[in-house]
C-alpha cells in the first residue's frame, strides 16, 4: 500500500511476471508460502499474519499467470528506514533472480531508505551476495 495520491506501481518482469500491490485475495497463497517455508509462527497465527499484510505500508506480490510466485512485505518511514518483514519466493522460482527483482523494485520506490531485515542461515548468503552486511539486532515479545 502506498501513500494517498501515489499511483499504484506495477512492474512486469520477463514479460510473464508482474509485481503489483498486495490484495486480500492473495493471502491464501502467502499463507501456503509461509507454511512451505517452515515459518510456523506466521502460519499458526494466520489471522494476525493476515492483519499484518493488511496494515503494512509496503506489500507487494509477484505473480505469473495469476499465480503468486513471490511476495515482499515491509514497513517504512519513506525517508530513512525500510524494514523488510518478509520476502518469500516460491521454491520453483528460486535461483531465477525473482527475490532480487522484488528487492530492486521496492528500493526504486523508496530510494532514500536503507533496508533492514532478519535473515536465516539459509538466506544469509543470498543477502550477502547482493551486498547486504550483517549488523547486531535484538528481539523480544511481551511474554518473554
Amino acid at each position: 500500500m502506498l501513500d494517498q495520491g501515489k499511483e499504484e506501481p506495477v512492474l512486469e518482469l520477463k514479460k510473464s511476471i508482474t509485481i503489483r500491490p498486495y490484495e486480500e485475495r492473495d493471502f491464501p497463497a502467502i499463507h501456503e508460502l509461509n507454511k512451505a517455508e517452515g515459518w510456523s509462527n506466521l502460519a499458526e497465527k494466520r489471522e494476525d499474519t493476515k492483519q499484518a499484510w493488511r496494515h503494512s505500508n509496503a506489500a507487494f506480490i509477484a505473480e505469473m499467470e495469476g499465480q503468486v510466485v513471490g511476495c515482499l512485505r515491509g514497513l517504512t518511514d519513506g525517508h530513512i528506514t525500510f524494514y523488510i518483514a518478509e520476502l518469500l519466493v516460491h521454491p520453483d522460482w528460486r535461483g531465477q533472480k525473482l527475490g532480487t527483482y522484488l528487492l530492486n523494485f521496492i528500493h526504486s520506490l523508496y530510494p532514500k531508505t536503507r533496508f533492514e531485515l532478519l535473515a536465516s542461515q539459509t538466506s544469509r548468503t543470498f543477502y550477502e551476495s547482493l551486498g547486504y552486511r550483517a549488523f547486531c539486532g535484538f528481539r523480544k515479545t511481551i511474554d518473554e
Side-chain angles (χ1 to χ4, degrees):
M1 299 187 207
L2 295 176
D3 296 335
Q4 295 290 336
K6 283 190 178 178
E7 185 176 319
E8 294 284 348
V10 174
L11 176 67
E12 293 201 22
L13 305 172
K14 298 183 180 180
K15 296 183 183 177
S16 60
I17 297 174
T18 301
I19 297 176
R20 60 164 177 78
Y22 164 79
E23 299 172 7
E24 281 209 38
R25 67 182 170 94
D26 301 315
F27 187 76
I30 292 168
H31 183 66
E32 291 304 314
L33 285 174
N34 285 331
K35 290 192 317 190
E37 189 64 25
W39 289 356
S40 57
N41 186 46
L42 296 179
E44 291 169 8
K45 296 179 180 179
R46 179 187 169 103
E47 287 306 310
D48 288 340
T49 303
K50 187 175 186 179
Q51 290 299 320
W53 275 88
R54 179 179 291 144
H55 294 286
S56 294
N57 61 352
F60 291 89
I61 299 300
E63 74 176 358
M64 186 182 107
E65 297 176 1
Q67 299 296 314
V68 174
V69 295
C71 59
L72 187 148
R73 181 178 77 81
L75 304 165
T76 186
D77 55 35
H79 299 279
I80 302 294
T81 304
F82 189 107
Y83 176 75
I84 298 171
E86 290 138 36
L87 170 62
L88 279 168
V89 173
H90 189 283
D92 294 345
W93 283 89
R94 292 185 182 161
Q96 300 183 45
K97 306 280 185 201
L98 182 54
T100 304
Y101 284 128
L102 279 163
L103 290 169
N104 289 340
F105 175 72
I106 294 300
H107 226 160
S108 74
L109 296 178
Y110 303 97
K112 293 180 174 182
T113 63
R114 70 172 176 247
F115 280 9
E116 297 184 358
L117 57 97
L118 297 174
S120 66
Q121 285 295 77
T122 55
S123 65
R124 180 182 180 138
T125 56
F126 166 71
Y127 291 109
E128 287 176 339
S129 75
L130 298 175
Y132 288 77
R133 62 189 180 281
F135 69 98
C136 181
F138 296 91
R139 172 186 277 177
K140 180 185 178 303
T141 66
I142 196 166
D143 296 326
E144 295 175 308

